[in-house]
Amino acid sequence: MVSVTSHDTPLNEKLLGNGRGLQAGIGLMALMLIILIVFTTHSRIAADRIEALDISVAASSNVASIVAANLGEVLGRTAIYARLSTTFLEQAHDAQAIGNPLAIGDAAFLRMAIFDAEGKLAHSSSRRQVEPDLQLFARTVLFSETSPALVIGGIDTGINTHDPQTGWRIPVAVPLISGQRRIGAFAGYIDLGYLLALYKEASLGTRSRIEIIDSRGHQLAEMVDGTMSAGRDLERTGYASFTGGTQLSGTIDARRPGDSGASIGVYRRLDHFPLLVTVTRSRAAVLDELAPRDVKYLIRATLISLLILLASAGLIVLAQRQRRLYAGLTDSEARNLALINQLETEKVRAYQLASLDFLTDIPNRMKFYELAAIELSRARRSRRLTAVFFLDLDKFKVINDTYGHGVGDLLLQQVASRLRLSLRGHDLAARLGGDEFAVLVSDLDSDEAVAIVARKLVASLSEPYPDLDGHDLDITPSIGVALYPGDGEEIDTLLSRADRAMYLAKQGGRGCFRFYEASLNTTSARSAELVSRFARAIRDGEFCLHYQQRVSCTDFRPVGLEALVRWQHPEHGMIFPGEFITLAEEHDCIVALGNHVIDMACAQVANWQVLGLTVLPVAINISARQLRDETLPDIMTACLKKYAIPASLIEIEVTESCFIEQPELAEKVLRALDELGMRISLDDYGTGFSGLSHLKRLPISTVKIDRSFIRDIRNDNSDAVIVSSTISLSHNLGLKVVAEGVETRDQVVHLKTAGCDELQGYYFHRPAAAADITALLRHPSAYAA
């Protein structure tokens, strides 16, 4: 009955016995570590390079700001010299008004000159008799009507020289104004080389460059690694395109004409003068400084990778040795295991002979407790599912009282025999007393496997029992199921809870089984699969809508449609709502499914409108859970707005069961939907609990009589009276009446005579896909009964 098997053997074979798999795993792990090291090293090198470039740009930005500020200060001093020059001309050429810039410590100005209103030299700081270059430049500002307050010379003025030794000496000129007239001009040479020489010691690194460029892209001065030069037209090369912008500063990452690689840095535009200062450095020079550090990173990664390879090789050698050792142990363990199984089998046989029930020849209560305790201890090691079944025969006392205890004993023997035939050889079945039996089944994989065993037991024990002392008996079992270890870890606890679950089975109608854990009572594989797939099915569009028409009882023309959800399962095909709606309600999926149905119905109505069809109102069934959701009106409003359809094309159908819980909230939601302009129908009328109060209080416009009253309306006088009374009452309340489940011509005649307004059922139209309904909307008269 009980056998000893080693559940650890397959795992050991995979991890230890299969040495090749272990070796492959070690090799794969080593490869992954090396890849990780290489990736990390290269990522670190790349990050260091980006950081170095950013630091270089930041340093260039600082130097550019300082140079621009100093250059602006120097250019700003021209205004001071201009005021002194104005004083010089106004005070009859008083030489005390202005002096030599070098003499007063201004090394930025090489020399200066003052010219009168006619452009003649009035004063020269170098005591020259003539200043032809400065005189020519001064006249450009003196006699030009459009000349700005300060003019700075460049390579296109004819004054600046292309000599690399003097090209950075730039002339400047300022018109001298007294009152509203020009009385002369001030002109001078600014030594940009002197200004840039102040930054020779700036720590910008090798292959760095500081430039002063005018707004036309002409290079006024350049210092490269401490060497001065000037005079290049950078605009024509396309390098200095940034001079034409208006931004005060920006970054530079471009290749200069004549350079082998790109330069990075910044440019800074002077606030009040048409000049730019650029500070750049060769990108290659910045990255070359990181080369020693990068080499260290690579050496370190190589060494670590070698260590990993050596360690992996050592582990693989150990794994090979382990494999050889394991191969020697496997045969010995198999022989020992076979011997243990044989001994256990003999032991179980001895237990059976010593503790069998005298009537049924299966273990009694005492032996069941003993063997079950052993099996549970084994279950703790195997960590697999074990189930305890508590069986009770329904109405067994009636059989004893009616046919006698002899027949009852024969029945119990047959039940015990069927139990043995329904179970595996090592499963445990016992008679606890009277008509109560217990079964313990171990080594199960899942809850569904337990449910399969329970269904098998119910089916087997529910088969007829022929010729029991001349009597043919029919009896069914009620079975309760408790699971180890979830429902308990001791046999007493498991039996007690299985007994409790058995009473639930009796309350559920007998001839069935129930789990002690209520959530497991949906145990079929199909149900469990459907429950687990709900969210994915909604996301993947597996649900679809079929539509059934309602017809007028007057001329039998279509007047409306009811949307009925179907599940187009990829494996099981078309599934109807009777199979999954209850599951959706029990597992809190009904709201999501209902909202999805609303969206699909609105989308289909919008599609029919786009096709130019006359769309019939579509009724949507709303569940009790949805009706207790205060966001339902907002969801409906959003769908109507999303698909641009009027609320009059959507009808709401609710059942009386929707008002059992939280009726005030349900009424509030219904009134909100009614205010949107939707008609509301009370579905399945007559099967609820307080129909009259609902008709009086709720904003209902239509009553749908349940099909159970329509089915036998011609043969059952009670049904006919109920239907006629419902139609009369509804009409007196101003409500429309729809009959559901109309399937015969006799039903149609009776309902028409009774004054019913609309009919719905297979007699007129079976639920059909949207494509078929499209044809109906195009030719409604062709579908009239």
Side-chain angles (χ1 to χ4, degrees):
M1 185 183 68
V2 179
S3 64
V4 178
T5 57
S6 175
H7 299 291
D8 296 332
T9 300
L11 181 60
N12 290 336
E13 289 178 353
K14 291 179 182 179
L15 297 180
L16 299 177
N18 191 354
R20 293 187 181 89
L22 183 59
Q23 294 168 24
I26 294 172
L28 179 61
M29 182 178 297
L31 178 61
M32 292 176 63
L33 287 174
I34 291 174
I35 292 174
L36 178 62
I37 291 170
V38 172
F39 174 77
T40 303
T41 301
H42 284 281
S43 299
R44 178 65 182 273
I45 291 173
D48 285 353
R49 292 185 175 186
I50 293 173
E51 182 180 5
L53 293 174
D54 291 342
I55 291 173
S56 177
V57 170
S60 299
S61 178
N62 293 336
V63 174
S65 297
I66 296 172
V67 173
N70 290 346
L71 180 58
E73 181 183 356
V74 170
L75 293 174
R77 289 206 293 271
T78 58
I80 298 174
Y81 289 124
R83 288 196 296 272
L84 295 175
S85 300
T86 301
T87 303
F88 173 81
L89 293 178
E90 289 177 342
Q91 296 179 1
H93 308 298
D94 183 5
Q96 299 296 327
I98 187 169
N100 190 320
L102 295 177
I104 61 177
D106 190 352
F109 283 84
L110 294 175
R111 70 177 189 270
M112 300 180 295
I114 302 173
F115 301 89
D116 60 18
E118 296 178 357
K120 295 180 180 181
L121 180 64
H123 174 72
S124 172
S125 63
S126 60
R127 306 303 181 185
R128 295 185 180 183
Q129 297 299 319
V130 292
E131 292 281 1
D133 293 343
L134 291 179
Q135 185 177 32
L136 178 62
F137 196 52
R139 288 182 176 180
T140 62
V141 301
L142 187 60
F143 300 117
S144 173
E145 295 297 331
T146 60
S147 176
L150 173 65
V151 178
I152 303 174
I155 62 174
D156 58 349
T157 61
I159 299 175
N160 193 15
T161 176
H162 294 277
D163 184 353
Q165 300 299 322
T166 60
W168 54 82
R169 298 175 181 178
I170 306 303
V172 295
V174 179
L176 303 179
I177 308 299
S178 179
Q180 298 297 322
R181 62 189 183 88
R182 297 184 181 183
I183 64 173
F186 167 79
Y189 277 107
I190 294 178
D191 187 359
L192 297 180
Y194 164 77
L195 181 65
L196 295 182
L198 299 175
Y199 304 97
K200 280 186 178 182
E201 304 302 326
S203 57
L204 292 176
T206 58
R207 286 186 276 179
S208 60
R209 175 183 282 107
I210 302 177
E211 292 178 281
I212 298 177
I213 305 172
D214 66 14
S215 59
R216 296 161 297 178
H218 298 159
Q219 185 191 72
L220 303 182
E222 175 187 51
M223 183 175 68
V224 181
D225 292 335
T227 303
M228 296 294 303
S229 62
R232 299 184 68 181
D233 187 352
L234 299 176
E235 179 61 28
R236 293 180 181 176
T237 65
Y239 169 74
S241 59
F242 53 82
T243 59
T246 59
Q247 291 185 345
L248 189 60
S249 62
T251 59
I252 299 172
D253 189 354
R255 182 176 175 274
R256 284 178 55 85
D259 289 354
S260 58
S263 297
I264 60 171
V266 297
Y267 67 85
R268 174 76 182 188
R269 194 182 306 276
L270 272 65
D271 292 335
H272 304 293
F273 306 101
L275 298 178
L276 295 92
V277 175
T278 68
V279 180
T280 58
R281 189 182 180 195
S282 170
R283 177 187 286 269
V286 175
L287 299 180
D288 287 346
E289 294 177 353
L290 299 178
R293 189 193 304 176
D294 295 346
V295 171
K296 290 181 181 179
Y297 288 158
L298 295 174
I299 292 174
R300 185 186 307 164
T302 302
L303 291 176
I304 296 175
S305 299
L306 289 175
L307 289 175
I308 291 175
L309 289 175
L310 291 175
S312 300
L315 291 175
I316 289 173
V317 171
L318 292 176
Q320 290 175 339
R321 291 185 59 188
Q322 178 67 26
R323 180 168 173 256
R324 289 194 296 270
L325 292 173
Y326 185 81
L329 293 174
T330 301
D331 293 338
S332 176
E333 183 180 354
R335 290 192 296 269
N336 292 336
L337 185 60
L339 180 59
I340 292 173
N341 286 337
Q342 182 179 357
L343 293 175
E344 286 292 335
T345 301
E346 295 299 327
K347 180 180 178 181
V348 169
R349 288 177 181 174
Y351 286 158
Q352 289 177 335
L353 293 175
S355 306
L356 296 180
D357 178 66
F358 72 96
L359 178 64
T360 60
D361 202 31
I362 62 175
N364 56 22
R365 178 185 291 269
M366 180 186 69
K367 185 52 61 177
F368 177 80
Y369 270 78
E370 182 180 348
L371 296 179
I374 295 173
E375 193 62 29
L376 290 181
S377 66
R378 183 177 291 109
R380 293 187 184 96
R381 296 194 300 271
S382 68
R383 297 183 180 179
R384 302 191 69 179
L385 201 60
T386 298
V388 173
F389 301 82
F390 193 99
L391 290 77
D392 181 88
L393 300 179
D394 299 328
K395 300 182 180 179
F396 179 74
K397 185 176 183 301
V398 175
I399 292 176
N400 268 342
D401 294 343
T402 304
Y403 301 104
H405 289 276
V407 174
D409 290 345
L410 293 175
L411 176 61
L412 293 176
Q413 291 173 352
Q414 289 291 317
V415 169
S417 177
R418 292 188 184 187
L419 281 178
R420 286 196 296 263
L421 293 175
S422 300
L423 299 173
R424 299 169 297 180
H426 61 273
D427 292 331
L428 176 61
R431 180 187 175 208
L432 302 182
D435 63 332
E436 293 179 346
F437 293 82
V439 173
L440 186 145
V441 180
S442 59
D443 293 335
L444 297 173
D445 296 325
S446 64
D447 300 333
E448 177 56 26
V450 178
I452 292 173
V453 174
R455 281 195 291 269
K456 183 179 179 180
L457 294 177
V458 171
S460 176
L461 300 182
S462 299
E463 291 289 330
Y465 295 83
D467 195 19
L468 296 181
D469 196 18
H471 301 283
D472 296 336
L473 301 180
D474 287 311
I475 197 167
T476 57
S478 293
I479 302 177
V481 186
L483 300 181
Y484 170 87
D487 296 333
E489 297 187 0
E490 302 296 334
I491 189 61
D492 280 327
T493 304
L494 291 171
L495 270 178
S496 174
R497 293 181 174 176
D499 187 12
R500 243 179 286 176
M502 182 269 295
Y503 281 104
L504 292 177
K506 285 187 176 293
Q507 294 173 5
R510 304 176 186 270
C512 61
F513 69 94
R514 289 290 185 270
F515 284 95
Y516 175 76
E517 174 58 49
S519 64
L520 297 179
N521 285 323
T522 306
T523 55
S524 71
R526 183 179 175 97
S527 298
E529 179 188 353
L530 295 182
V531 169
S532 64
R533 193 179 175 88
F534 264 118
R536 178 181 175 185
I538 293 174
R539 184 182 68 247
D540 294 347
E542 293 178 9
F543 290 99
C544 62
L545 294 181
H546 284 193
Y547 301 84
Q548 186 177 35
Q549 64 168 304
R550 300 194 317 270
V551 302
S552 170
C553 204
T554 303
D555 54 9
F556 305 117
R557 290 184 176 275
V559 294
L561 300 169
E562 180 178 359
L564 304 170
V565 66
R566 303 286 189 264
W567 188 343
Q568 187 62 50
H569 198 283
E571 296 178 6
H572 304 306
M574 184 68 74
I575 303 176
F576 292 89
E579 186 172 352
F580 61 84
I581 290 297
T582 301
L583 294 177
E585 291 175 341
E586 291 176 351
H587 293 83
D588 295 329
C589 298
I590 191 65
V591 173
L593 178 59
N595 293 340
H596 184 54
V597 169
I598 292 172
D599 187 85
M600 288 192 295
C602 291
Q604 185 58 58
V605 170
N607 182 50
W608 284 329
Q609 284 187 325
V610 171
L611 295 177
L613 305 177
T614 301
V615 183
L616 300 177
V618 175
I620 302 173
N621 290 283
I622 299 299
S623 68
R625 190 76 60 84
Q626 281 181 283
L627 202 59
R628 294 196 297 270
D629 183 3
E630 292 188 87
T631 65
L632 179 61
D634 296 332
I635 293 172
M636 295 295 300
T637 302
C639 277
L640 295 175
K641 184 177 181 181
K642 175 181 177 181
Y643 295 106
I645 60 175
S648 59
L649 292 181
I650 301 296
E651 298 180 358
I652 301 300
E653 291 192 6
V654 295
T655 62
E656 292 176 292
S657 61
C658 295
F659 309 100
I660 296 176
E661 296 182 12
Q662 298 179 318
E664 295 81 9
L665 178 58
E667 180 180 353
K668 176 183 176 182
V669 173
L670 273 186
R671 293 198 178 278
L673 294 174
D674 180 66
E675 291 174 1
L676 291 176
M678 297 180 181
R679 294 179 59 187
I680 299 171
S681 302
L682 185 62
D683 199 8
D684 299 337
Y685 182 77
T687 62
F689 302 91
S690 55
L692 292 177
S693 64
H694 296 154
L695 295 178
K696 178 181 178 181
R697 188 179 72 254
L698 299 175
I700 294 172
S701 59
T702 304
V703 172
K704 300 187 74 174
I705 302 176
D706 185 73
R707 64 183 66 244
S708 61
F709 299 104
I710 306 299
R711 186 181 302 114
D712 296 323
I713 193 171
R714 298 290 294 174
N715 303 319
D716 191 331
N717 187 57
S718 298
D719 286 346
V721 171
I722 292 173
V723 171
S724 298
S725 300
T726 301
I727 294 173
S728 176
L729 173 64
S730 300
H731 285 170
N732 290 335
L733 294 175
L735 304 177
K736 185 181 295 184
V737 180
V738 179
E740 294 180 292
V742 180
E743 298 179 354
T744 66
R745 182 177 181 83
D746 288 341
Q747 292 171 348
V748 174
V749 172
H750 188 96
L751 291 167
K752 185 176 178 67
T753 303
C756 188
D757 299 299
E758 296 177 4
L759 307 174
Q760 179 179 343
Y762 287 176
Y763 181 78
F764 299 99
H765 187 261
R766 289 180 175 270
D772 297 330
I773 301 301
T774 302
L776 167 68
L777 297 178
R778 285 198 175 100
H779 307 289
S781 60
Y783 291 82

